Amino acid sequence: MTSFRLHKAAALVVVIIALAIGSTAPVTARDSSSTSKHVAKRIALMTSQKAAMDMLTGMAAGRSTFDRSQARAARKQLIRSTGSIRKHFRKPHLDPRSNAQPLIWHAWKDFKARAGTAEAAAKDLNTGSLSGLRRTLPGLMQSCLSCHETYRSTPNSFTTH
Ligand code: HEC
């Protein structure tokens, strides 16, 4: 993903969150400090992963037609994004819109290892055939969910809130 697209995605997330927060936290919603930008970027990273996963699970479940080149592009995107989780979380930024558990920065080695597991699972995705995708997608899905279970305060879904 280009930084331009990431930036646009981050801006969109900020807008959505600002709408969700409504008038209860106007100062936070308008905050443009580097901490908030940092948090918005890592949330945008996660949101982009969800989009790629949605596409692949749609194909695996037969809700959409299997398309090898789309699946391959989603795999590439997931390799890149899971590979940058560490970078996006290295600094212990927290703000009110974040669901990240502070434990991340007390268990940084474990967090990094789980990011590595997700990256390996993304690399292991087989996008050559529908059966290959069905076989390899659950491993990646599991790596997303298991990290959320420990390090995210709303653990059991990919849903945003
Ligand atoms: C190494 C840990 C880790 C892995 C692996 C991981 N995530 Fe996350 N994810 C998090 C954390 C922590 C948050 C909370 C971030 C925040 O709110 O600041 C999060 C948040 C999210 C969100 C919510 C974003 C929002 O709008 O608040 C989505 C969606 C998401 N992840 C999808 C995924 C998907 C899909 C995968 C697998 C491809 C994945 N994540 C893998 C740690 C992880």
Side-chain angles (χ1 to χ4, degrees):
M1 155 172 345
T2 67
S3 64
F4 176 68
R5 275 165 62 200
L6 182 63
H7 193 78
K8 265 177 72 180
L12 184 64
V13 168
V14 171
V15 169
I16 291 166
I17 287 164
L19 291 173
I21 294 171
S23 57
T24 55
V27 176
T28 307
R30 261 186 274 127
D31 190 352
S32 61
S33 71
S34 66
T35 295
S36 292
K37 271 191 217 154
H38 192 95
V39 170
K41 271 194 185 172
R42 77 186 181 211
I43 290 176
L45 177 82
M46 290 291 167
T47 307
S48 78
Q49 300 194 133
K50 176 184 165 0
M53 283 300 275
D54 281 349
M55 190 217 269
L56 294 177
T57 50
M59 288 180 194
R63 284 193 302 273
S64 54
T65 314
F66 177 71
D67 178 322
R68 192 177 296 166
S69 68
Q70 274 188 352
R72 196 188 301 132
R75 173 179 175 270
K76 264 196 182 163
Q77 192 203 321
L78 283 160
I79 293 170
R80 228 179 310 141
S81 61
T82 51
S84 75
I85 292 175
R86 281 162 283 211
K87 191 182 80 195
H88 278 78
F89 282 88
R90 189 174 298 136
K91 295 201 181 118
H93 290 306
L94 279 174
D95 81 11
R97 86 191 68 164
S98 173
N99 290 309
Q101 297 281 14
L103 174 66
I104 292 170
W105 298 284
H106 298 285
W108 180 242
K109 268 193 180 162
D110 181 64
F111 185 84
K112 274 202 306 194
R114 284 166 190 256
T117 303
E119 187 182 2
K123 285 183 179 152
D124 280 349
L125 277 180
N126 179 332
T127 54
S129 68
L130 180 57
S131 62
L133 181 64
R134 283 185 175 148
R135 195 160 25 80
T136 51
L137 193 56
L140 177 57
M141 179 104 59
Q142 186 48 43
S143 74
C144 309
L145 294 176
S146 92
C147 186
H148 291 171
E149 214 165 86
T150 309
Y151 295 111
R152 187 182 162 207
S153 50
T154 49
N156 287 323
S157 72
F158 296 147
T159 57
T160 45
H161 288 105

